[in-house]
Structures are given as C-alpha cells and as structure tokens.
Amino acid sequence: MILAPLPREVLIWTIARLLEGVRHVAVGAASPMPAAGSMLRRALDESRTELRLSILGSVANNFFTNGSTELFDCAGQGRLDAFFLGGGQIDGEANVNLVGVGDYPQSRVRWPGSFGSAYLYFTVPRVILFREEHTPRVMVEKVDFISAPGTSPAGVHRPGGPVALLTSKALFRFDRDRPGFTLESLHPGCGLADLLAATGFAFQHDDDPPVTPAPDGATLALLRGRVLDELEETYPAFAADWRRDLAAAQPAA
C-alpha cells in the first residue's frame, strides 16, 4: 500500500509542476523544498530534455565555481529561467521584504538583508515566491520595506518577475498587469475561510476553489527514492526529518 502524500510532498510536487518547461533553475541557500522540487522536475524530464540545476551550497548539484557571482552573471545574460525568492513579508503586489519590521532604519525586527533579491527579481523570467508560513504577519497588505518590487513602472526594462506564490496553505498565480494574486488552488485540509483569515492582502478567488493536485504513485516513488537520496547530500537534516515523517506514517503491523 502506498502512503498518502505528506504535506511537504504536495508542496514539492507543486514546485515541480511550476517548473515545467524550464531549462535552467537555480536554488539559493537554505531552500530544501525548492531544491527537492527542482530535482523532481529534472527526474521527470530526463527522458526528453536535460534540466540544468544549480543549488548554492551543493557539491553535486552546482556547476558554478564562484558562487553567487556566476549566478548573477548567468541571470543577467538571460541564461537562468527560474529562481525562488522568499521574504519575511510578502504583500499583494508581490513586493518582498527581507530587511525587517517597522520603519527603516529604526526597524524593531531585523532580518538578514536584501542581498541580490532585487537584481534576480528583475532578470529571471520565472520567479516563484515560496514561503511555508502563511500568517497575517507574513502575508501583509503592504510590506514595511521593499527589498525587491513585484512590479515596475511602464517603460522600465524588466524581463523578470513573479509568476506564482506557494505557501503551506495554497498556490496563487500572479497577474503583472493587474497587478495582484489569484488563488489557483487550496492545499488539502485548508478551507477558503481559513486562507482569507490568514492573508493580509486581498486576492481574487472562486467561491469553491479547487484542491491542489497530489502526486500519483509513480511520482511519490521518485520523491521517496531518488529525490530524497539526492537531497540528502545538501540537506541531511531535512532529509532525515522527511524519512522520520514517512516512518511515522506507516500503518501499524
């Protein structure tokens, strides 16, 4: 009997679906689920095409030899198709805050900083916003500081930008023309009322939103075998937690 998908496996499968058609995807540091989703996409596509995957901090899955410098060069040359970006705050126009809470520079809570987020947001055509925590303190009406803007004024050259927001509760698509988010699907176990209460910004939605698709048996086998084994090289603690969750979900003999 195949175990039902774990919540993290639904998220990883959703990431893989968002990467369909991508030739080169890069994953930043401390991003195990985006890395797993990218590995799954590579495994699913290997009979048709070769997906180039760059995971910062990995030895086996990083062909860059000069870290983020080469990553930024690659993005600027238009040779990077997809990237993942998170934030301490994300608002309804896909603005991302990586600096802190409160009026800058007197922020009462400080985060690591913006780094190259704005540059990659402008240059990578398929940026997927990913943040597991979906609460009003993260999904806000307006970010306190814009580390990376979701949209740009008319006349600004911008080949890159957000296409989706994925959280522990739902998947949203982003409309750059409106601009704003539209609910694509709710993850199993999450209702629309729960999502509305947890989200500080307004978004478009159907009255009866669809449920996020779960991976089938063959995909689960790939996830729990090849992908989990490959992920262990870069994220051993995350892989160990995943294995423990699978063991705990096994029915009693």
Side-chain angles (χ1 to χ4, degrees):
M1 183 179 69
I2 300 176
L3 289 174
L6 302 175
R8 72 178 67 193
E9 293 172 336
V10 173
L11 291 179
I12 292 168
W13 166 231
T14 304
I15 290 168
R17 292 192 296 113
L18 290 170
L19 292 175
E20 188 171 2
V22 164
R23 300 164 302 164
H24 182 189
V25 56
V27 179
S31 301
M33 276 204 257
S38 301
M39 289 174 175
L40 177 59
R41 184 75 262 164
R42 179 174 63 184
L44 292 168
D45 288 350
E46 67 178 358
S47 64
R48 301 186 299 275
T49 185
E50 181 180 355
L51 172 65
R52 178 171 285 188
L53 171 59
S54 308
I55 302 175
L56 293 182
S58 171
V59 175
N61 294 283
N62 189 2
F63 59 88
F64 294 135
T65 58
N66 195 20
S68 59
T69 300
E70 286 180 278
L71 170 65
F72 295 148
D73 286 346
C74 197
Q77 293 163 11
R79 296 190 292 116
L80 182 59
D81 300 317
F83 187 72
F84 300 88
L85 192 59
Q89 292 179 332
I90 300 171
D91 68 23
E93 294 188 1
N95 297 312
V96 171
N97 177 8
L98 290 159
V99 168
V101 178
D103 293 333
Y104 181 83
Q106 284 80 35
S107 306
R108 63 181 183 273
V109 176
R110 292 299 298 268
W111 296 320
S114 303
F115 296 106
S117 58
Y119 177 81
L120 293 171
Y121 220 13
F122 269 72
T123 56
V124 180
R126 195 180 304 195
V127 176
I128 298 166
L129 299 175
F130 178 74
R131 178 69 195 264
E132 272 196 272
E133 182 182 341
H134 192 133
T135 63
R137 74 169 188 166
V138 176
M139 305 300 158
V140 298
E141 182 178 8
K142 184 175 178 58
V143 296
D144 292 344
F145 183 93
I146 298 179
S147 296
T151 60
S152 299
V156 174
H157 177 65
R158 182 171 182 172
V163 296
L165 166 64
L166 178 62
T167 75
S168 60
K169 294 183 180 295
L171 170 65
F172 300 84
R173 296 283 181 176
F174 187 69
D175 182 348
R176 300 185 197 185
D177 296 326
R178 194 161 39 96
F181 288 106
T182 299
L183 177 62
E184 184 83 3
S185 63
L186 290 166
H187 301 334
C190 180
L192 181 58
D194 175 34
L195 183 69
L196 289 167
T199 310
F201 57 77
F203 57 90
Q204 293 186 354
H205 60 84
D206 293 336
D207 293 335
D208 187 18
V211 176
T212 304
D216 60 20
T219 304
L220 280 175
L222 265 179
L223 271 173
R224 295 166 178 174
R226 172 177 168 176
V227 170
L228 183 48
D229 290 343
E230 290 179 345
L231 192 70
E232 199 162 20
E233 178 259 343
T234 312
Y235 298 106
F238 182 88
D241 286 345
W242 188 353
R243 294 188 195 279
R244 279 194 292 269
D245 287 348
L246 287 171
Q250 290 282 355

